[in-house]
Amino acid sequence: MKWTQTLIPTLREAPSDAEIVSHKLLLRAGLIRKLAGGVYTFLPLGLRALRKVEQIIREEMDRAGAIEVLMPALQPPEIWQQSGRYETAGNVLFKLKDSGNREWLLSPTAEEVITTLAANEINSYRQLPKNFYQISVKFRDEIRPRFGLMRAKEFIMKDAYSFDTTDEGAMAAYKKMYDAYTRIFARCGLKTFPVEADTGVIGGNYSHEFMVPAETGENEVAFCEACGYAANIEKATSGIPKTAAREIGGAIEKFATPGAVTIEALSKEPYKVPANRQIKTLVYIADSKPILILIRGDDQLNETKLLAKTGAVAARPATPGEIYALLGAHPGSLGAVSLTLKFKLMDRREYFDELKNLGLIVAKGEIQVLADERLRGANGMTTGANEDGYHLRNVSMERDIKVTAWFDLRTVTAGEPCAKCGKPLKIRRAIEVGHVFKLGTKYSEKLNATFLDVDGSRKPSVMGCYGIGVTRTMQAVIEQGNDKDGVIWPLSVAPYQVCITPLAVAPKSQVMQLAEKIYAELTAKGVDVILDDRDERPGVKFKDSELVGFPIRIGIGEKSLAKGEVEIKPRNGVLQPIKSEDTVPAVMRLLEENMAK
Ligand SMILES: [Zn+2]
C-alpha cells in the first residue's frame, strides 16, 4: 500500500475526551474516528488490525472444532421473554419498533437465537456435540460509553455456544475453549491471565474471565502469587478470620449517640467503638422486597455477591423514605435486633398498606435478614437501635438477631490471607477481554433445545457460552503495547509489518527506485508493507511511523545510499545501518525472529 493512496489522518494531540492511553492512540494514529458517543468508524489501518485479530480468533476456533455461523443482529423479543432475560438484561438491551409497531431487539449476545436454532435442528445425540460461533456486531445500551472501544454502544464480539449430551461433555467443551482462548490472546501478543468470575445475568455455574492487567481496567482482580488463585473482586473470597468472640457481657444496653450516624463517628470520642465491633445495617430492595443486610463495620458490601446469593434479578439501596417507613429510623441508627424491628411489632394494617404504597412487598412479621459470614458468632457488638440518636451495645448475633441466612457478602481487600494457602492476596486492575461460561441446561430447558438420548429418553442439551470482545481486544493490545512515541504493535496484528520511508520521493530518483524495488520484493514474499511516498519532511515521516507503530521501518536517504546503505529500525529496537542489497533478507530474518517470540 502507498501511504498517499490510503487514509491515515494522524493527530499531534488527542481530543480531550480521550481519557486512557489506548483511546488516545487509536485516535492519534488515525485508526478510528468517533461518530457519536460509543460509536466509531474504523479507518483503513484500524480495520486491518481488527481483521487480523478476527483472523487469529477464527483460526483458533476452527482448530478447536467450533463451526462458524452468522446470526442476525435483529432479534424478536419473544425468545428473550422465553428465556427470562427480557427483564434481567433490560437495562442494556437496545429496543426498537418497526413500522408495524412490532418490537425488536438489537443483539447484545445470542444465547436465545442459537438455542432456538438448536431446538429446531438438533434432535439426536448423534448430532452432538456441537459448538457454533460467530464474529459479529453487538449492541449494548451503555448509559456512559467511555474509553473508546472498551465500553462502546456498538462493538464486535466473537460469541460461541456449545451443546453437549452430558455434563462431562460440556466440561470438555469448556476446557477446549479455555485452551483456545489462551492461544488466541498469546498470538495477539497479549499477556492475559484467567480469573474465576461471577456468572451474572448470563447464568450458569462455572466461569472464567481472561484479563489483561492494566491500571485503566474497569475490573478489579484479587490474586495470590503463592498459589495462583485469581478471581474477579465480584466473586473473590479470602481466608480472613471471623470476628473474635467476647464475653457476652450482660444484657443489651441502649445508649444515646446524638449526631453519630457513621461507623467512623461511633469509633471516635466519646463512644470509641472500633469499627470491627460494629454491625453495619444496610437496607436493600431486591425485586421489590426489602431486605436487611448485616456486615461488619469495617467491611464493604459486595452487590454482585448479594445478587448471586439471593438470586435476585435487581437490587438497589432503599431510599431514606423507604427506610423510615420500614424501620422507623434514619440511616445511621439502623439495626436488626429483633426487639427493635418495627414491622414485627406492627399489627396495624395501615402500616403494611403504607409499605405497599411505596411499592414494597412485605408480609406481616416477614423480612429477610441476611448476614455476612464474618459476623457469625460475634457478640459484644454495637448496632443502631432503630431510633434516631440511639445505639445498642452488648449485642450478640446469636442471641439478639434472627438471621434468615448467612452468606459471604463482603468485598475482599488487599493483604487478606488467601483462602487456599494463607499468603496475602493482592488486588490489581484489569481489562476483561474474554469469558467462558458453563451454562448447564438453563437455556436449553427454557427454549426446548432437547435431544433423544441413546436410551430413547429426551434430555435438554448441556450448554456453554464463550465470548471475546474483538474490538476491545484490539484496543487492549494498544493499552499494553505503547511508549511515549506511539503504538508498539506485535507483528501478528500490526496494520502493516514494514514501513518503507524514502526521504526523497521524486519519481525516478535513486532513493525512490530502491524504495519501490524493496516494496515489490517484500510484497512478493507475502509481507504487509506500506510505502510512505508522501512529500514530507523526514521528521514528520519518522514521527508518524513511530506513532502508528509499524514493527519495522526501512529508512532510505540520499546520504546513506551514497555509502550503499539503508537504515533498518525495529519499532522497539535500535537503528541499524545495512548494505542496501541485504535489505530484504535482513527484514525477512527480523520478521521471523519476531514472529517466533
Ligand atoms: Zn494462595
Side-chain angles (χ1 to χ4, degrees), residues 297-317:
D298 54 342
D299 282 337
Q300 297 299 323
L301 172 70
N302 185 320
E303 292 192 5
T304 308
K305 286 185 181 177
L306 177 68
L307 287 177
K309 301 289 162 57
T310 58
V313 166
R316 61 167 175 86

Side-chain angles (χ1 to χ4, degrees), residues 224-229 418-423 425:
C224 171
E225 281 171 331
C227 73
Y229 170 77
C418 168
K420 287 193 178 158
C421 77
K423 294 281 184 322
L425 290 176

Side-chain angles (χ1 to χ4, degrees), residues 25-236:
L25 286 174
L26 279 166
L27 296 163
R28 286 191 56 214
L31 303 171
I32 64 168
R33 281 296 179 265
K34 179 169 118 176
L35 175 65
V39 183
Y40 293 90
T41 297
F42 277 79
L43 299 179
L45 292 199
L47 184 62
R48 285 185 68 90
L50 181 68
R51 290 284 185 252
K52 289 188 178 185
V53 173
E54 284 182 6
Q55 189 53 29
I56 289 170
I57 294 173
R58 188 169 277 121
E59 285 170 15
E60 293 299 337
M61 291 304 289
D62 291 347
R63 176 136 82 111
I67 40 180
E68 189 168 5
V69 294
L70 183 59
M71 292 177 260
L74 216 48
Q75 300 186 7
E78 289 77 12
I79 52 176
W80 283 72
Q81 279 150 359
Q82 215 175 325
S83 75
R85 281 209 298 181
Y86 186 80
E87 275 77 32
T88 56
N91 54 341
V92 296
L93 274 179
F94 261 111
K95 298 173 182 173
L96 54 145
K97 293 259 172 79
D98 66 16
S99 54
N101 209 32
R102 185 187 185 322
E103 187 179 67
W104 294 89
L105 308 176
L106 289 179
S107 170
T109 167
E111 281 82 2
E112 284 79 2
V113 178
I114 199 72
T115 312
T116 302
L117 183 84
N120 292 326
E121 307 302 330
I122 291 174
N123 191 41
S124 158
Y125 71 94
R126 288 194 183 89
Q127 294 167 280
L128 295 171
K130 284 275 183 294
N131 188 349
F132 302 99
Y133 80 96
Q134 66 172 347
I135 298 174
S136 66
V137 173
K138 306 289 190 302
F139 301 88
R140 250 182 91 94
D141 191 3
E142 287 289 352
I143 300 167
R144 206 179 150 222
R146 59 198 297 221
F147 302 148
L149 308 172
M150 290 291 179
R151 189 159 285 280
K153 282 176 182 281
E154 181 180 322
F155 52 95
I156 295 175
M157 188 169 99
K158 186 284 300 176
D159 43 330
Y161 309 90
S162 64
F163 294 82
D164 278 270
T165 56
T166 61
D167 216 51
E168 299 79 64
M171 271 324 286
Y174 184 95
K175 180 75 175 43
K176 255 190 198 169
M177 285 295 101
Y178 186 102
D179 294 343
Y181 276 33
T182 306
R183 289 194 301 268
I184 287 167
F185 295 122
R187 284 186 61 188
C188 289
L190 264 183
K191 288 187 194 75
T192 58
F193 62 104
V195 308
E196 292 175 20
D198 176 64
T199 49
V201 94
I202 293 188
N205 47 21
Y206 202 71
S207 164
H208 282 89
E209 287 164 338
F210 285 77
M211 294 287 191
V212 177
E215 276 314 303
T216 53
E218 291 193 89
N219 288 274
E220 279 188 301
V221 173
F223 66 102
C224 171
E225 281 171 331
C227 73
Y229 170 77
N232 192 313
I233 200 86
E234 295 178 337
K235 157 109 181 177

